[in-house]
Every structure is written in structure tokens, then in C-alpha cells.
Amino acid sequence: MSSRPETGTTTINNPVIPGFHPDPSICRVGEDYYLACSSFEYFPGVPLFHSRDLVHWTQIGNALDRPGQLRLPPDSRSSGGIYAPTLRHHEGRFWLIVTNVSADGNLLVTATDPAGPWSDPVLLPGVHGIDPDLAWDEDGTCWCTVAGVSQVRLDPYTGETFGPARKLWSGMPGAKAPEAPHLYRIGDYWYLLIAEGGTERCHGVSIARARTPDGPFEPCPDNPILTHRGTDHPIQNTGHADLVQAPDGSWWMVLLGVRPGGGTPGWHVLGRETFLAPVTWVEDWPVVGELSLEAPVPPWPLQPGPITPVRDEFDSNELAPHWVSLRHRPAEDCTTKERPGWLTLRARGASLDDTDVTFVGRRQQHQSCRVRTLLDVGEGRGGLAVRLDEQHHYDIEVASGEVQVRARIGPLSTVVVSRPVPPGPVVLRIEVIAVETLNDARTGPDTVSIGVEEPDGSFAELASLDGKYLSTEVAGGFTGRVFGMFASTGSVHFDWFDYEPLDR
Ligand code: 6LW
């Protein structure tokens, strides 16, 4: 099989979906591509994207947007919850299978419109393992393959499994953690694509093929077909891929990667992002083309989606799909109905150091960016934060005439600065500026400047903090930074929220 993507002459920015959007799974229906990602402790879960050109992606919703679909216990750990999904289209429906490691385990939802609504979940007690995949063979049998890599036959309508799980492949000798399996019927073969090496710097993609969906599988002689392990490539941790064929017959791969910044070893703060790479076929094996921060543009007309405005005025009853909360979002705790044109957050008595704080945020998607919000705390306490998890966040909080900047880094928590602030509405700002540094180990990836805006609009910086401590290399975990509004006590009202990219 040979189909080489004839690419255009211009280039595109990679990642094609920046910010923490890991474990991408993609499918195509006609001229439309759809993609789903992991979401962990955030609610709603499993963000869904649409594209017509593989380059421009627009979030169209979240597959798990109801408490009955997404059960995340208030005390469940960060980077728990929703692990890797697989998104497929079969027999006129979209199928999404995913693991909730904090409750329910593997589950499956379906939809006729990927923008939703998605069905109530079918639980899969007979599917043991993470990273579940779905594939159907010619006679309609549904094969569910999970990390490890093992496989079981499944009735996707009832969740019933048939027979014991069978071991399919352990990946390449010496490589650890064979996971992220995806099974495809392509030409005369069934291909089993996996990730191995773990989702850090040793991550890579390998593939094997067989004549039947349950093996035996022979590994590709050129495995890993993609890895950046052992290199100083600006994109690291490359792995957890999925393949898709375009209408013109060309093949493409979406995968996760990270962009470490600052000195050695480099710190990544945006989480694992979704990248695009071209694929060709040589002797019935896929060959992944160059993966760079500028990837070749596909040879068809580009179709950019709508631009997300900088400002969200909170003028509608529903929050845009990119807004996320921690584990749940009870309507009484987060509403635009109490004060029309304002988002009102009602505290639950928890702070950002807890797992159950009232929080509404959006992913940081640019290495340099500015976030602002106008809030009125009234008799309450709340503010603006940039968080990685409960133990790694920088916040600016307003309460009864005082504004405080706090830093939480692991077991350490400190008030960096506090100063009086007049009662009434105030504009808070967090500004992140990436640091272009060559091997300066003293310098983190960015500086995080936090402060208030004076009545004349000038910025009064209260603190400038090292972004290193809000990186995955320091904090661990599977997510990336999220900027958010929070309420610690009482009700806090937010008039608007600006997210302004300051880089490409
Ligand atoms: C994902 C698995 C993994 O399910 O991390 O490190 C999990 N590998 O593929 C969360 O992204």
C-alpha cells in the first residue's frame, strides 16, 4: 500500500490543539474529523473537537457533561478521573470508550451528533485495563483492546464481554508500559498501534500487524516508528498516537507531546498537547514524517474555525465548552442567572488547597499569555489562580478590603504579599511570559507576574514568581496549567474574563 501525502508549501503551528489535550483519539466521517482527549479531574470531561482540514480544530462540546455520566468523587485525586478515550464512528453512530479511574472504571457512551448529547454510560465491568480501544471486524464482532496489551470481545450495546481477555502483544523487548492500543483494518492487515516507554521522555510509538484482529502480531522491524527519546528535540514525550486516513487517501497521525521550556532539563507547563504528523506507507508499514513545531500543511484548502474572543462576558446561560470545573459543577455553585451578565461562584467552604473548591477555569494554551478578570467579592473571598493541582498553584485573592498573592508549592504555602484594596469591583491580572533561555539551569520556563489593575488601567505587579514550580516536571501528574476563577467563602461575582495570547 503506498499513499504519500502531497503536502502544501506553507507550514502550520504544531501542536494543532495546544494546552493540556493529551491522549488524542481521532475519527473521520466524510469530510469531517472529530477528536477526543483525556480530562482527568475536570468536569465536564472528554473535550470533543471538530476540524475540516486536520489543522484548525474547534471544541464542539464535551462527551461527559452530566453528573450521571461523569462521577468524580469530591475527594478523588488530581490526575485521576478520566484517562484516555477512543473515539470511533460505526453503523451511523459515534462511539466513545474511556476509563474513569476514580469511579466506574471503563464505560462507553454513544451519540449521533458528536456535539452531543451523548448517551448515559454503558459500564464495562468485564473490560480490565486502561486505554480501551474499539474496532469492528467484517462480521460485526467488536474487539476491545486495552493497555498491556490484551483484548476481549465486547457487545458495545450491552457492555457484555465474551470469553477471557487474551494477551496480544507486550510491545518491543525492553520497552515498558505498552499502552494506548488502537486496532485498525488497513488493506490486507490488522494493525495494532501502541505507545510504550511511559508518557515521559522515553515515550514512543510502535506498531505490529496480523492477518486477523486477534493476532498473532508481528512487530514492525523499524519500531519505534516515532520517538524523540534521547534527543534535544523541542517536542518531547511523543507518544499515545492515533491514525486517520484523509479523503484523498493520505494518512496522518495525531499524538501527544510536550514543549519543555527554560534551562536543562526543561519544564513543560502546558501539559501534553495534541500534535499532527504526516504518515506514508512503505512495504505495508507506516512511516511517520517529520514532527516539528511547524508541520507541513495538508494539500487541501484550509478551513479555519471561529476565533475564540479574548473576552467572555458571561452573557449566556451556558458556559462555553472550554470552561472546566473541578470534579463537579452544581448549578447552585456556578450560575450566570443570579446577576445577569456576571458569573457567580458560590463557595463550598474549600480553598484551592482542597479538592472541592468552587472553580471555573480554562487551560493555558500559549507559552506567553495574559489573563484578567473583573470581580466583586462583596462579603466573600475569591479571586484568580493559575493551578496545576491542589499542591501547585499561584493565586491572587480578594477579601474585605485586602488583596493577597499566595504561592502553594508542594508542602509549602505562603502569602507572598498583601495590600489594601478599596471595596467594590477590582481587576486582577496574571501574566505569563516564556523565558527564552539556552541551558541556563537557574531559569525556569516562564515568569508568572500577578497583580491588580489600578483605576487608570495601569498594572500594579504585586509578585513575580518562577513558573518552574507549576510545571509537570516538578508537580508530576497528567494535566497542565489551568487559569481559573475561584470562590473560597460566600458568593463571588465575575463580570468578565479575558484570555489573551501573547505569543504565536
Ligand atoms: C493514559 C496512558 C498513560 O491513559 O497515561 O502514561 C494515561 N500513559 O496512556 C493518562 O494520560
Side-chain angles (χ1 to χ4, degrees):
M1 168 187 301
S2 171
S3 56
R4 169 174 294 279
E6 295 305 321
T7 55
T9 53
T10 55
T11 55
I12 55 172
N13 283 338
N14 244 338
V16 291
I17 306 181
F20 101 80
H21 294 102
D23 309 325
S25 179
I26 188 169
C27 70
R28 177 174 63 83
V29 180
E31 302 285 326
D32 294 293
Y33 299 93
Y34 299 97
L35 186 146
C37 295
S38 303
S39 51
F40 306 102
E41 73 265 27
Y42 288 96
F43 178 96
V46 188
L48 283 162
F49 296 86
H50 170 254
S51 176
R52 298 272 293 184
D53 60 14
L54 283 176
V55 165
H56 299 95
W57 290 91
T58 300
Q59 186 169 355
I60 57 174
N62 297 279
L64 307 180
D65 61 5
R66 306 190 299 271
Q69 294 173 307
L70 178 52
R71 201 157 61 88
L72 295 172
D75 61 352
S76 57
R77 64 183 172 84
S78 278
S79 286
I82 295 299
Y83 277 32
T86 294
L87 176 67
R88 294 293 182 254
H89 188 261
H90 177 73
E91 292 182 342
R93 299 186 67 81
F94 291 88
W95 302 78
L96 188 130
I97 188 170
V98 73
T99 313
N100 180 345
V101 299
S102 296
D104 298 333
N106 286 300
L107 59 94
L108 191 153
V109 291
T110 66
T112 51
D113 179 350
W118 286 77
S119 69
D120 289 338
V122 173
L123 300 187
L124 308 172
V127 176
H128 303 291
I130 61 172
D131 300 355
D133 174 73
L134 291 176
W136 284 264
D137 66 18
E138 296 83 354
D139 65 21
T141 300
C142 179
W143 299 90
C144 181
T145 309
V146 295
V149 173
S150 63
Q151 184 185 73
V152 69
R153 284 182 299 119
L154 173 70
D155 178 338
Y157 292 91
T158 66
E160 186 183 1
T161 52
F162 306 99
R166 291 180 64 251
K167 192 85 172 176
L168 286 191
W169 186 34
S170 299
M172 297 308 288
K176 70 169 187 159
E179 51 201 6
H182 289 306
L183 187 63
Y184 314 88
R185 177 62 194 266
I186 303 172
D188 297 331
Y189 291 100
W190 285 88
Y191 289 88
L192 178 59
L193 186 76
I194 69 169
E196 53 188 3
T199 198
E200 291 79 25
R201 295 291 193 268
C202 290
H203 214 193
V205 180
S206 290
I207 196 164
R209 72 188 182 195
R211 294 291 182 179
T212 55
D214 54 351
F217 287 90
E218 61 162 319
C220 175
D222 298 325
N223 280 336
I225 59 172
L226 172 67
T227 186
H228 286 174
R229 64 178 75 126
T231 73
D232 61 357
H233 195 285
I235 305 170
Q236 288 290 320
N237 300 26
T238 52
H240 206 113
D242 202 1
L243 294 173
V244 69
Q245 185 175 27
D248 71 353
S250 61
W251 283 87
W252 301 81
M253 176 186 277
V254 291
L255 67 138
L256 72 79
V258 303
R259 294 184 280 167
T264 304
W267 292 269
H268 74 276
V269 301
L270 299 182
R272 298 165 301 159
E273 307 173 276
T274 287
F275 290 81
L276 176 72
V279 173
T280 56
W281 292 84
V282 176
E283 295 174 359
D284 289 334
W285 287 114
V287 175
V288 184
E290 188 200 6
L291 171 65
S292 76
L293 292 176
E294 294 181 337
V297 175
W300 42 73
L302 299 186
Q303 300 187 48
I307 300 294
T308 302
V310 165
R311 178 160 296 186
D312 190 328
E313 297 275 7
F314 303 125
D315 284 341
S316 68
N317 288 339
E318 296 294 324
L319 288 176
H322 63 258
W323 290 109
V324 291
S325 294
L326 291 166
R327 299 171 181 84
H328 60 154
R329 185 190 287 166
E332 64 273 16
D333 293 350
C334 170
T335 177
T336 56
K337 298 184 175 76
E338 183 172 324
R339 188 187 286 192
W342 294 63
L343 172 65
T344 297
L345 298 186
R346 189 178 65 84
R348 295 193 274 263
S351 77
L352 284 161
D353 295 337
D354 305 311
T355 57
D356 198 25
V357 66
T358 301
F359 176 92
V360 171
R362 55 150 300 157
R363 293 164 172 82
Q364 180 180 338
Q365 294 189 274
H366 299 82
Q367 292 173 304
S368 297
C369 52
R370 176 180 303 127
V371 165
R372 306 164 63 230
T373 187
L374 184 150
L375 83 165
D376 180 359
V377 296
E379 300 303 312
R381 170 186 288 270
L384 181 63
V386 49
R387 82 179 294 271
L388 210 56
D389 59 27
E390 291 78 31
Q391 292 200 331
H392 300 84
H393 51 88
Y394 296 155
D395 347 314
I396 180 165
E397 188 174 56
V398 181
S400 58
E402 183 187 58
V403 62
Q404 277 189 356
V405 174
R406 290 182 60 241
R408 174 69 192 266
I409 302 170
L412 307 177
S413 177
T414 183
V415 174
V416 176
V417 62
S418 62
R419 59 165 258 195
V421 65
V426 61
V427 177
L428 307 180
R429 182 192 296 188
I430 296 179
E431 203 159 275
V432 175
I433 304 298
V435 175
E436 298 305 324
T437 306
L438 287 177
N439 291 330
D440 176 349
R442 292 163 301 163
T443 304
D446 52 23
T447 59
V448 182
S449 172
I450 304 177
V452 298
E453 290 186 9
E454 305 295 3
D456 65 4
S458 61
F459 177 47
E461 179 183 86
L462 300 180
S464 177
L465 303 173
D466 188 336
K468 181 190 312 176
Y469 303 107
L470 301 191
S471 71
T472 302
E473 281 75 14
V474 167
F478 291 129
T479 61
R481 285 184 189 162
V482 174
F483 292 111
M485 301 160 282
F486 67 92
S488 307
T489 55
S491 289
V492 181
H493 310 280
F494 297 84
D495 187 9
W496 47 260
F497 183 102
D498 282 4
Y499 175 93
E500 184 181 1
L502 300 179
D503 56 26
R504 61 194 177 103

